[in-house]
Structure formats: C-alpha cells, structure tokens
Amino acid sequence: MDVSVYTLGCRLNQCESESILDAFRKAGFNIVGENDLSDLVIVNTCTVTSKAEQKARRMIRLFCKQGSVVLVTGCYADSIGEIDSKVVVVPLVKKAAILSLPLHINTALESGMSLLESLKSFSDVKTTPFDYAASSFSYHSRAYLKIQDGCDNACAYCRVHVVRGKSQFLEEKEIIERVKALEDAGFEEIVLTGVNLTMYNHEDGGLGKLLLDLIPTLLPTTRLRLSSMEPDHIDDALIEACKSEHLHPHFHIPVQSASDKVLQRVDRKYSKSHLEKIISQLRSVKDDPFIACDVIAGLPSEGEAEFEETVEFLKRNQFAALHVFPFSPRPDTPLFKTKDKPEERVRDERAQILRELSTELTQKYLDRQLGKTVEVLAENRKAGLWHGTTGNYLKAHLIGENIERGKLYKGVIKKINQDLSVTINLI
Ligand code: SF4
C-alpha cells in the first residue's frame, strides 16, 4: 500500500512527518513522493497563517478527489471540521499516536476492514511529544531531531502557543543518544527543531548549555543546523556554542519588526537593541553567516515611521534573506479584532517592499560568497546534475566525481546563477 505525507508549515512539522513516514516504512508500506498518487495521504497542517489553513483545505479536497483516503493532523486539525467522508482527523495532541498507526492498519486489513474503517477504528495510545525519533528520512537528505515543543511566551498574534501548549523539552541525555543513533545511521547533517528552540530548558542553562555538552560527543564530520532561534533567549552560552565548526553558519531569527513600539504592542519579549546585539554577536563568531529572518508587514501600531525603522534595520544588519508575512489576524489571539492595524492595501504594499528588499539582500550576500570555500550537503540528482545546500544555506549545483546523497563535501563557489543558486566545484 502506498503512503505519502503532505506537510505544511515549519521544520518541526517536517521532522514529525518524517518520523511518521519512517514508522510506515518499517511496517512494510511503500513510501511515495508527496505529489504522487497514494492510497493514504497524511496531511500535516499548520495554523500560522490563514493562507496555510486554506492550502490545507484545498490539498485535502484534491487528495480525496484523486481517490486517496486522507488522515489530517497538525496544528490546524482541530479546526478542520467536516470536509469529506474520506477524511479522518487525528487532533494535534494525539499526533504522535500516528506512529503506532501502521501496525494497527496492518492488523485491521488482515481482519477484513477497509483502509478507511481501519483509520476510524484507531484508538488512543499513550504518547509524548518526543516519540518522533526517525532513523531514516524519505523526503530529506539530512536528519531532523525534535528537542523542544510548545512555548511559554504569548505573542499577541500567535496561535501556535495556543494549540501546542507550554514549553517542554527532551532530556539532554536522550538527545545525545538520539544524535549518536543518527550518526550511526550515516547522517552528516542534523537539524535541531522545536516550536521555540531557544526556550529549550531555559531555566537550567538553555540551548547553549545543551550544545556545549553535545558538541564534544559528535563525530568530527557531523554538522548541526538550528531550525529557528527566537531572539529573547539567545544568550552568551548559545553564542559561545555557535563558535563551533559543528554549527553551520546559518541562523534564522524571527525578528518580525525592529520597532520597539510594535514589538511591545504585540507582546514580543525583546527590544531592537537586543536584536542589534545578537546579530553582531552571531557575526563575530562566524565568517559572514547566512542570517535570515521572519518579518511581518502591517502589524498593529506599525505606522510609516515604524516600518521605515524596520527596513533600515534589516538593511543595516545585512540579513541574507527575509521571510515576509503580511499580518493576518488569527482567531483565538488577542489581536483578532484589533483596530490599530494598517489598511490591507498598505500592509500588502509593505510586504511587497520587503520581498523586493529580500531579493536585493540575497543578491548582495551571494556576491560576497563568490570564490569562498564552503561545505555542501549533496541532496539529489536531477537531469544528471547534483543539487545540494551549503552550510550557509545556499542552493547549489555541484560539479564533481563520485558524489553520494547525504554526504557533506567541501567546494569553491565558482558562479552565482540567475535563480540565486550557486555552482560549486567540489575539492
Ligand atoms: S515565541 Fe511567540 S510567536 Fe513564537 S511560538 Fe511562542 S508565542 Fe508563538
């Protein structure tokens, strides 16, 4: 039986999806690509934006129309309602139970049930948010390890902390063991993920301490990538850990706005001066790292002056890419009915300005990389050409011999391509 997972949203969702696929593979199911026709499609949803929710609904309907049975889970699952008779919903709090589903389906099918009946008869098993521990990954050449879930902040626009609940973390000893298992399985790059990664055990040393303990246990060739780092808990220990060669020179910071007025209005727990400090610290420990950020256009209280302040900050700090989100008020958040937000037309114009700025900043970053020696993970081969991603997060075409998927290589950036990828000669 063919199974696929369609994932929306963050790296944490991707990580959880890969563990689910791993469980199906181990139980004898055939894993197909997320765009291939499949008997069972698991849709792992996201509720960060209304666009992500609409896309989930659209894709669920499409998969049903194509004849698949669809299992819906993830941050938006609880709000999906009745959508199609071939859809079964597993609420977010029970998502990890899907790891036991493949065995249940096998038993149910043997007893003569249909696939849909088997999903409907699936009952609760006891789970924790850290049951996801895949040892193989279908859609990625790197490994993902979830070490944190939930969030104790309450940013006024965010639904994620509402649906995911309070911050929880995987014990350090268990992380060291799981990383070792991934190294033994041959992974050279591991992405550490969480809802709010820098909230990891922040009352007892935090993410910095974890990394400083983990790094000496790694094989010399292992590289780590941090999925996203909320600014408020980036501290000196974390900066110290980022000095290590084991940490790729790639950081993703959800900046959202660089105006103190806007940050306070939406209950973010840091100031522009803190942002300035951590960006300069990250720059001081790595050679021109790729620092990307999320930025929200049109947050409440954002006037022309606050928007200009953000644009000026992004330029001055030479971010390498901006992930731009137009503010869309989410149900169950304090800002759902706010009146002090810019008009939609103004919000959309600002989002467009930020997208254009992102392309400009990426181009400038790329220009600075020409001729540099970088590490690159070989990911897949299409039309005879190997593709990969560099340590500093550039999409790359690889020129070299005997390249293997999932292996890290060193190479020199020889060319910047029109699609903002680079061509690398392996050495
Ligand atoms: S830090 Fe804020 S935006 Fe991020 S998950 Fe927590 S509440 Fe949501």
Side-chain angles (χ1 to χ4, degrees):
M1 180 177 292
D2 293 341
V3 177
S4 63
V5 177
Y6 187 84
T7 308
L8 291 139
C10 60
R11 289 204 181 97
L12 178 56
N13 256 12
Q14 288 173 17
C15 164
E16 293 171 346
S17 291
E18 285 283 7
S19 287
I20 289 169
L21 282 173
D22 192 42
F24 274 93
R25 181 185 312 96
K26 284 176 179 151
F29 290 77
N30 182 40
I31 309 303
V32 298
E34 62 177 1
N35 295 315
D36 297 337
L37 283 181
S38 177
D39 301 300
L40 171 62
V41 183
I42 297 157
V43 180
N44 195 358
T45 60
C46 168
T47 189
V48 164
T49 62
S50 52
K51 229 170 157 183
E53 294 178 351
Q54 283 157 17
K55 189 161 183 195
R57 303 186 76 81
R58 201 170 65 242
M59 294 311 292
I60 292 165
R61 290 204 183 92
L62 176 71
F63 294 133
C64 290
K65 211 164 142 198
Q66 289 173 340
S68 302
V69 169
V70 180
L71 185 87
V72 178
T73 190
C75 293
Y76 181 49
D78 303 37
S79 311
I80 208 98
E82 292 281 317
I83 181 164
D84 192 289
S85 59
K86 281 197 291 194
V87 170
V88 175
V89 174
V90 174
L92 176 68
V93 286
K94 296 183 181 160
K95 185 178 354 179
I98 301 172
L99 299 167
S100 319
L101 180 62
L103 296 178
H104 170 80
I105 295 177
N106 279 340
T107 314
L109 294 182
E110 273 168 26
S111 73
M113 278 189 198
S114 69
L115 173 60
L116 187 58
E117 285 166 344
S118 79
L119 295 187
K120 286 184 174 166
S121 69
F122 182 53
S123 58
D124 281 2
V125 285
K126 214 167 155 35
T127 61
T128 80
F130 301 107
D131 290 344
Y132 307 94
S135 57
S136 69
F137 292 76
S138 301
Y139 299 162
H140 297 93
S141 310
R142 56 182 61 78
Y144 288 78
L145 178 61
K146 175 179 174 179
I147 63 167
Q148 189 275 341
D149 200 341
C151 180
D152 296 338
N153 286 348
C155 304
Y157 55 80
C158 175
R159 263 197 100 203
V160 175
H161 74 101
V162 179
V163 295
R164 290 257 182 186
K166 290 280 171 204
S167 179
Q168 304 174 62
F169 59 90
L170 185 62
E171 291 299 331
E172 183 174 306
K173 185 170 165 288
E174 181 65 25
I175 292 172
I176 291 173
E177 279 169 21
R178 289 191 190 188
V179 167
K180 176 89 186 67
L182 291 169
E183 288 180 323
D184 290 347
F187 288 100
E188 299 200 337
E189 184 174 312
I190 300 167
V191 184
L192 301 180
T193 71
V195 166
N196 184 339
L197 200 59
T198 41
M199 200 165 261
Y200 178 89
N201 195 9
H202 65 96
E203 279 165 6
D204 189 16
L207 183 63
K209 175 186 177 297
L210 168 74
L211 291 173
L212 291 170
D213 291 344
L214 173 64
I215 286 165
T217 72
L218 298 173
L219 293 174
T221 48
T222 302
R223 294 291 176 268
L224 302 175
R225 209 183 276 280
L226 304 174
S227 62
S228 174
M229 302 198 288
E230 283 287 348
D232 43 340
H233 290 296
I234 298 183
D235 55 17
D236 291 348
L238 181 51
I239 299 287
E240 182 63 27
C242 289
K243 279 184 187 165
S244 166
E245 270 203 62
H246 289 282
L247 264 289
H248 274 320
H250 165 217
F251 306 107
H252 186 106
I253 316 275
V255 163
Q256 316 304 18
S257 168
S259 151
D260 284 343
K261 179 177 148 196
V262 176
L263 291 171
Q264 277 169 26
R265 171 71 184 91
V266 300
D267 286 333
R268 297 287 280 171
K269 302 259 180 282
Y270 53 88
S271 61
K272 179 179 169 183
S273 62
H274 178 69
L275 286 172
E276 301 266 13
K277 181 180 136 200
I278 57 171
I279 302 296
S280 100
Q281 285 179 315
L282 290 171
R283 289 198 174 286
S284 73
V285 294
K286 293 281 186 213
D287 173 24
D288 202 359
F290 187 101
I291 306 181
C293 72
D294 294 335
V295 54
I296 304 179
L299 277 169
S301 85
E302 184 191 78
E304 204 52 48
E306 289 75 24
F307 177 65
E308 281 307 321
E309 195 180 350
T310 299
V311 168
E312 193 274 328
F313 170 86
L314 297 169
K315 283 184 185 166
R316 182 159 38 81
N317 284 283
Q318 300 184 46
F319 283 87
L322 316 177
H323 295 247
V324 180
F325 300 89
F327 171 60
S328 81
R330 312 297 299 118
D332 308 322
T333 67
L335 296 180
F336 187 45
K337 295 213 164 131
T338 187
K339 298 257 186 300
D340 63 341
K341 59 183 195 296
E343 288 173 36
E344 281 185 15
R345 178 189 57 79
V346 173
R347 175 200 70 182
D348 293 346
E349 277 171 16
R350 289 180 187 167
Q352 187 53 27
I353 291 169
L354 290 169
R355 285 190 200 104
E356 285 165 18
L357 175 62
S358 179
T359 309
E360 201 183 296
L361 290 170
T362 302
Q363 188 67 59
K364 281 187 179 157
Y365 182 77
L366 285 168
D367 290 346
R368 298 201 298 274
Q369 306 311 306
L370 202 58
K372 283 194 179 171
T373 300
V374 290
E375 290 183 323
V376 60
L377 187 82
E379 292 175 289
N380 52 58
R381 195 174 181 197
K382 281 186 223 147
L385 186 62
W386 272 97
H387 298 255
T389 302
T390 65
N392 59 344
Y393 211 53
L394 305 178
K395 292 288 160 217
H397 302 163
L398 314 186
I399 312 293
E401 305 278 313
N402 305 321
I403 298 172
E404 280 178 56
R405 182 176 188 254
K407 293 283 160 211
L408 270 167
Y409 297 92
K410 277 202 168 149
V412 178
I413 299 182
K414 282 291 173 196
K415 191 175 156 220
I416 311 296
N417 304 312
Q418 272 198 335
D419 62 356
L420 302 182
S421 65
V422 294
T423 299
I424 294 183
N425 280 4
L426 301 188
I427 48 180

